[in-house]
Amino acid sequence: MAEINGLNPECLMKVVESVKANWQTGKTVWNATAKWNKGFNVKTGSRGFTMKVDEPDMLCGTDEAANPVELVLQAYGACLAIGFVMNAAVRGIKVQSLELDLEGEIDLPGFLGLEPPEELGMDNLPGYKNIKTLLKVKADADKATLDSLLSDVTRTSPVGVTLSRAVALEAELEGL
């Protein structure tokens, strides 16, 4: 089968069939590392790929890289883009271009351990209150088909689903 959107739909369907044939192959574990350097400079990594993380000037960082909450937006945008072109390819939809703009709102008091005045309507939780995404897509399908595709993609986005529900988090100390 010919490639669609730079992907081999036959290969994608083999992954689906492989998981259906042995459901245990669908249970995966992913790993990452984070190593602090100085200030707000952190180097993160997964599978040999590394990224630098920092905070902007407004939070007393050196503004040398995106900060963690920006990386969350980037991860969600990348996940949606990957899901969109993958699902489009499997459906035979050719995508000529796809750009996503993401915007998330965070009130800083929660991160800073502060209780804002109630009348300001600010959230004292240290995380996103909402995330808005605009997909700009050019594809060989009508709007109704693309809307249906987007609905399926947002419903099955691992990053989106992770952001939308509670996840059990554990952290423990070990001396170095």
Side-chain angles (χ1 to χ4, degrees):
M1 181 179 269
E3 280 192 357
I4 300 177
N5 306 329
L7 300 169
N8 180 334
E10 197 173 287
C11 178
L12 296 170
M13 293 311 298
K14 283 182 183 177
V15 173
V16 171
E17 293 305 317
S18 172
V19 172
K20 285 170 58 177
N22 179 359
W23 292 104
Q24 289 300 315
T25 63
K27 189 173 184 174
T28 62
V29 175
W30 301 88
N31 297 287
T33 60
K35 185 175 181 181
W36 172 74
N37 183 25
K38 67 177 184 173
F40 289 134
N41 187 288
V42 177
K43 181 180 177 184
T44 64
S46 294
R47 297 185 302 116
F49 299 99
T50 61
M51 189 177 327
K52 188 175 182 178
V53 181
D54 196 1
E55 289 289 347
D57 293 334
M58 70 173 275
L59 293 174
C60 304
T62 57
D63 204 21
E64 294 178 8
N67 73 8
V69 294
E70 291 168 317
L71 295 178
V72 168
L73 290 178
Q74 291 178 34
Y76 183 45
C79 192
L80 289 176
I82 288 168
F84 196 91
V85 297
M86 177 187 74
N87 283 282
V90 169
R91 295 174 190 195
I93 299 170
K94 293 181 182 172
V95 177
Q96 287 80 39
S97 65
L98 175 63
E99 294 180 22
L100 292 83
D101 291 330
L102 295 94
E103 175 182 276
E105 180 184 357
I106 294 178
D107 291 337
L108 285 179
F111 174 64
L112 299 172
L114 303 172
E115 286 284 336
E118 197 170 312
E119 65 270 12
L120 294 179
M122 296 180 82
D123 195 335
N124 67 342
L125 296 173
Y128 282 114
K129 293 165 58 166
N130 56 62
I131 296 174
K132 297 176 185 175
T133 307
L134 174 64
L135 284 82
K136 302 172 193 172
V137 61
K138 185 175 181 184
D140 65 355
D142 62 24
K143 178 142 177 23
T145 301
L146 295 175
D147 283 339
S148 174
L149 174 61
L150 178 58
S151 177
D152 289 344
V153 168
T154 55
R155 181 180 51 79
T156 60
S157 164
V159 175
V161 170
T162 299
L163 289 170
S164 69
R165 64 178 170 85
V167 175
L169 300 173
E170 296 177 30
E172 64 181 70
L173 290 173
E174 178 181 301
L176 295 177

